[in-house]
Amino acid sequence: MTGPAAPPPVTARQRKVFAILMLTQLIATLDNQIVATALPTIVGDLGQAEHFSWLVSAYVLAQCAVMPVSGKLGDLIGRKRVMIASLCLFSIGAVGCSASWSMSSLILARLVQGLGTGGILVTVFGMNADLFPPAQRARYQSYLSFVFVFGSFVGPTFGGALTDLVGWRVIFLPTLPLALLAIAGFAVLVPRIVTGRQPVIDYAGALAIAMTVTILVIWTDSLRLFGSFLAPESLFLGIAAGLGLLLSAIIERGAAEPVLPPELLAKWNFDFLSVATFCSGAVTIGLVTYHAYFLQMAHGLTPAQSGLFFIALTCGVSCGALLAGQLMSRDWHFTFPLRLSLIWGVLTLGVFSLLPGGTPIWQLVAVFVAQGFANGLAMNALVFGAQVTAGEGDIGAATGAITLMRTIGCSIGIAVYGSVIAVGLSGVALPEGWDASAITPALLRGLPAAERADLVGHYSEIFAALYRVAAFLALLGFAAACLIRRPAR
């Protein structure tokens, strides 16, 4: 009996295209991470701190809207066109962010940039699947994860330093020349691929899904927006979200080329993977911004100092991603690193909830490394699991669907965490004329010692509640991952 055939050798063209894919992954990662440490300063400068979560949610919601469409369009018309269009949108949004004059204009520009980022994130992994067979795919996806690690390592530190030295408007510009280089690389190196499938675009399904996700995210923020989930506005949104889900299902069942193929959603393994992905997105990507907020407001660090802690986080991510990639390339089922990621996340998030203000630096570093390890374990497992669960003809749709679920989880997680902070801040007593929601890290450091210690204590309690919510979501994801069945050997 002979073993499985060896995969074909990697060609020079494949290496060049993959290098451009790595550059594109770096662009998307840098954009998210550079901004993370500057958000408290941006909010303090432009005001309207009550919209902090929406500054992030608008960016993520835009990704949600475009991800399933980008994945399906890649299957229908080729991923080269989708990638170049996404990079152009991203660049336009970056210029708009830098020129923003108010919180509303910044949110709008981030929304445009999010449309580009969503297309980039889906198409990168779709192109990787086109380039390499399954036997090689997990290994190359782990290389993409290392690009994420590098971007996460450089981004927060670079963004924090730029914010302190030059100002927050500059942080949106470093990715522009990289985006232009990537556009040129794809135009020259990637041939136009004719798929042979009629490009019938499911606009109705994409619109229904995008509207449903948007309504759902707003509904999850009802506590902050309306004061209660039992408020008439909240109840209306809840009913609207349910009707939107029903309408989306009806449209997708009748569509010639559905954005989310019903046969894919009919697979129990894919459904449980989607739930686990949702929870993973909420406790990994969704917490990135709040980690920076936690360090600056509950521990009094500067944006530049808090950015340095992301080095510890990304060291953990690199170890977790490397281990997961090695395991899956050696025929370990993707559920093993996924389950380990989520249960490890439950433990580390529980530790975060117990950290008081003034915690020694080395303890903070150790917990960030541990959390990064949990995040890294899931990075490759989610997308690889979706691609092996789907058929070859629906790799783009499956990648788009699972990336969408991770992004929805991130967006809803951000809204929930924002509600936790808003409710916590509503009980903070400050001197007359002070607004707790408008306090920046610099202003916090300038307070008298007694007032600063009191406010840091309040923020520590708020973030303890936030991290307990995140730990519960990780536990829910672990339960879903345990229900995914492995194929019989």
Side-chain angles (χ1 to χ4, degrees), residues 382-400:
L382 296 170
V383 174
F384 185 74
Q387 291 176 349
V388 299
T389 302
E392 285 295 322
D394 285 320
I395 280 181
T399 304

Side-chain angles (χ1 to χ4, degrees), residues 283 287 291 294 341-356 367 370-371 374 460 463-475:
V283 301
L287 275 177
H291 285 321
F294 164 72
S341 164
L342 290 162
I343 196 63
W344 189 269
V346 172
L347 298 175
T348 55
L349 291 168
V351 172
F352 266 114
S353 72
L354 299 175
L355 294 175
V367 179
Q371 178 63 25
S460 296
F463 278 101
L466 185 152
Y467 284 119
R468 284 194 293 269
V469 171
F472 172 78
L473 290 173
L475 184 61

Side-chain angles (χ1 to χ4, degrees), residues 83-337:
M83 180 63 87
I84 291 176
S86 299
L87 285 165
C88 290
L89 271 176
F90 174 89
S91 301
I92 293 170
V95 174
C97 288
S98 181
S100 297
W101 60 91
S102 66
M103 181 64 74
S104 298
S105 62
L106 180 59
I107 289 173
L108 179 61
R110 283 295 278 174
L111 187 147
V112 173
Q113 200 172 22
L115 292 174
T117 304
I120 289 171
L121 291 173
V122 170
T123 311
V124 160
F125 287 103
M127 280 187 160
N128 185 67
D130 291 340
L131 280 175
F132 305 108
Q136 296 175 324
R137 193 178 304 157
R139 179 158 61 96
Y140 282 91
Q141 281 185 186
S142 69
Y143 297 156
L144 290 174
S145 297
F146 276 114
V147 175
F148 174 85
V149 169
F150 177 76
S152 299
F153 176 89
V154 173
T157 306
F158 187 43
L162 282 178
T163 302
D164 283 342
L165 296 175
V166 185
W168 63 265
R169 295 183 184 277
V170 180
I171 63 175
F172 297 99
L173 301 179
T175 53
L176 278 178
L178 300 180
L180 295 175
L181 178 60
I183 290 171
F186 285 119
V188 172
L189 293 174
V190 179
R192 180 182 174 185
I193 298 175
V194 180
T195 64
R197 297 170 69 177
Q198 183 66 28
V200 180
I201 302 173
D202 180 19
Y203 291 111
L207 180 61
I209 292 169
M211 290 182 63
T212 301
V213 171
T214 301
I215 293 170
L216 189 59
V217 171
I218 296 173
W219 175 77
T220 59
D221 208 14
S222 291
L223 193 61
R224 183 179 63 84
L225 295 174
F226 312 122
S228 169
F229 281 100
L230 297 178
E233 299 90 341
S234 178
L235 294 174
F236 172 78
L237 289 174
I239 294 172
L243 292 175
L245 288 172
L246 179 61
L247 178 62
S248 300
I250 293 172
I251 293 173
E252 294 303 270
R253 278 175 127 8
E257 287 285 357
V259 171
L260 296 177
E263 60 271 17
L264 185 62
L265 300 179
K267 298 178 179 179
W268 282 105
N269 273 3
F270 191 85
D271 294 338
F272 290 130
L273 178 61
S274 297
V275 175
T277 302
F278 172 92
C279 296
S280 178
V283 301
T284 56
I285 307 172
L287 275 177
V288 167
T289 299
Y290 290 96
H291 285 321
Y293 205 2
F294 164 72
L295 289 168
Q296 293 177 42
M297 305 307 289
H299 291 273
L301 302 182
T302 66
Q305 289 170 336
S306 66
L308 293 173
F309 276 84
F310 283 79
I311 297 174
L313 186 71
T314 51
C315 285
V317 170
S318 64
C319 294
L322 177 61
L323 177 60
Q326 290 294 319
L327 290 174
M328 290 187 293
S329 66
R330 296 179 182 180
D331 208 27
W332 284 67
H333 198 254
F334 70 88
T335 53
F336 178 76

